[in-house]
Amino acid sequence: MQRETQKLCIASICFLEKGQPKCYIRAMSINAHILKGDSIFTSFRSINGLVVGLCDHKARVLSQINESYFQKRFDTKYLEDYFLKDLSEYIEQHPNHYIRVTFYPSSKDLRLGIVDLEVLFSSSVIPVKTKELKLKQMSSPYSKHHKPVKAGSYFQVLDLKREVSRNGFDDVLLSIGDMITEASTSTVILEKNGFFIIPMHATNLESVTLKQFVNYLTLKNIPYEERVVTKNELSHCDHLYLLNSINFISGVRQVDLMPFKMNNNLINNFKNYLEELCRE
């Protein structure tokens, strides 16, 4: 099992010179999991060496690898002891880091045994972004049959994000038909008159940060509901937020040409709540 960022040297450049093939080999360093399109991962930010909802992150990713790679043949506790016994120590050694835990097959066989799956812990320093976001509405690349697994490549949605960034937007607001689903790698939250609405859709990933946000709303007796949300409801909302495990919560100030007011009190209070959890 890999415990540090594994690097490989690859790549060749070939072209014709005077009608003859000419090949030049150059070395490039690249994380191995980037080469592994067939992978499942979870990622999160540590706060002073602790991770809010770490048990939920582990439970989600272990459930996903058990179903996808092992046809649910193993007990979750067994998988955790086998693959993640060093994770807490790794997190403690990388306080205030972005941490990613990636699982990928080391065998070409379709039916894998536990020794055929590798796990890679990697980390980097990524500042928490506090920017007010501009979103562009786009059709989701996923169909209603999409399996909500945190797969190794977000290429489809990140390609959309790159596309809209050329026109000054920060992210995409995805929808399937008339139903809002999520942003590229974030959960969407709507607020109207102090009431919070969480879009539900079968393609949405089970969000650990959303679970913490719901816990916060419940603790503060703030009303909310989880339901299908249509695109025309955007114009009736006061505030819009994105949740993820890296920036936790961000305010949205614009969707297409539609402006939204910022609720910095809610944003700051939720971040403070998460920090308090790490001090308990």
Side-chain angles (χ1 to χ4, degrees):
M1 290 185 291
Q2 311 297 317
R3 296 306 182 193
E4 296 295 334
T5 301
Q6 182 180 358
K7 293 187 175 180
L8 302 177
C9 291
I10 62 167
S12 65
I13 301 175
C14 299
F15 59 93
L16 291 177
E17 184 176 280
K18 296 181 179 179
Q20 299 297 320
K22 188 84 172 179
C23 294
Y24 290 87
I25 307 298
R26 69 176 182 178
M28 68 166 58
S29 266
I30 152 171
N31 291 331
H33 65 258
I34 293 176
L35 299 178
K36 305 290 185 179
D38 179 13
S39 64
I40 293 173
F41 75 99
T42 190
S43 58
F44 40 76
R45 181 182 295 278
S46 72
I47 302 175
N48 300 323
L50 297 172
V51 175
V52 178
L54 179 59
C55 290
D56 295 317
H57 279 286
K58 291 194 291 187
R60 181 182 67 184
V61 74
L62 291 172
S63 174
Q64 290 175 350
I65 67 166
N66 200 15
E67 179 178 354
S68 298
Y69 294 131
F70 303 131
Q71 296 77 51
K72 301 181 179 179
R73 302 198 310 271
F74 296 106
D75 177 76
T76 301
K77 182 64 168 63
Y78 175 71
L79 292 175
E80 180 175 353
D81 291 342
Y82 186 86
F83 288 112
L84 302 181
K85 60 184 177 63
D86 299 328
L87 180 58
S88 294
E89 181 181 355
Y90 186 87
I91 292 170
E92 290 175 5
Q93 294 170 351
H94 297 82
N96 304 310
H97 277 60
Y98 162 80
I99 295 172
R100 174 168 165 155
V101 180
T102 307
F103 295 84
Y104 59 89
S106 58
S107 169
K108 295 181 180 179
D109 293 337
L110 294 179
R111 183 173 174 84
L112 302 176
I114 196 165
V115 297
D116 298 318
L117 197 67
E118 299 285 348
V119 62
L120 172 70
F121 300 165
S122 55
S123 63
S124 58
V125 177
I126 301 178
V128 176
K129 295 180 181 178
T130 58
K131 181 181 180 182
E132 300 172 0
L133 303 177
K134 293 172 59 179
L135 309 185
K136 176 69 174 175
Q137 292 195 72
M138 300 284 283
S139 294
S140 173
Y142 304 133
S143 75
K144 64 181 180 180
H145 304 293
H146 167 71
K147 191 175 184 179
V149 172
K150 201 161 186 178
S153 173
Y154 276 125
F155 174 79
Q156 296 292 342
V157 290
L158 291 181
D159 191 50
L160 291 178
K161 187 174 181 178
R162 280 190 290 268
E163 179 182 337
V164 302
S165 71
R166 300 184 190 107
N167 294 314
F169 292 93
D170 303 295
D171 207 336
V172 289
L173 180 60
L174 300 174
S175 59
I176 294 179
D178 195 42
M179 294 177 290
I180 291 173
T181 56
E182 54 193 348
S184 61
T185 58
S186 303
T187 300
V188 179
I189 305 290
L190 294 79
E191 182 188 356
K192 179 181 180 181
N193 297 327
F195 187 89
F196 288 82
I197 306 168
I198 303 166
M200 299 299 294
H201 195 275
T203 62
N204 289 5
L205 181 72
E206 178 187 354
S207 169
V208 174
T209 307
L210 173 59
K211 183 176 181 178
Q212 297 300 327
F213 188 71
V214 168
N215 290 344
Y216 170 79
L217 295 179
T218 302
L219 178 68
K220 300 298 182 181
N221 294 314
I222 300 174
Y224 72 93
E225 65 177 349
E226 300 180 63
R227 61 172 175 81
V228 171
V229 177
T230 58
K231 292 187 286 187
N232 62 10
E233 295 183 61
L234 289 172
S235 60
H236 303 294
C237 288
D238 304 315
H239 309 287
L240 198 65
Y241 312 92
L242 298 188
L243 302 180
N244 58 53
S245 295
I246 307 306
N247 294 312
F248 303 124
I249 184 169
S250 303
V252 175
R253 67 179 175 90
Q254 184 177 328
V255 176
D256 297 334
L257 298 177
M258 192 185 314
F260 288 87
K261 294 178 285 187
M262 300 300 298
N263 185 349
N264 290 319
N265 285 337
L266 183 280
I267 293 171
N268 293 331
N269 288 341
F270 179 57
K271 288 182 177 179
N272 290 338
Y273 165 78
L274 295 179
E275 292 177 358
E276 285 294 329
L277 289 179
C278 289
R279 286 195 281 264
E280 293 179 355

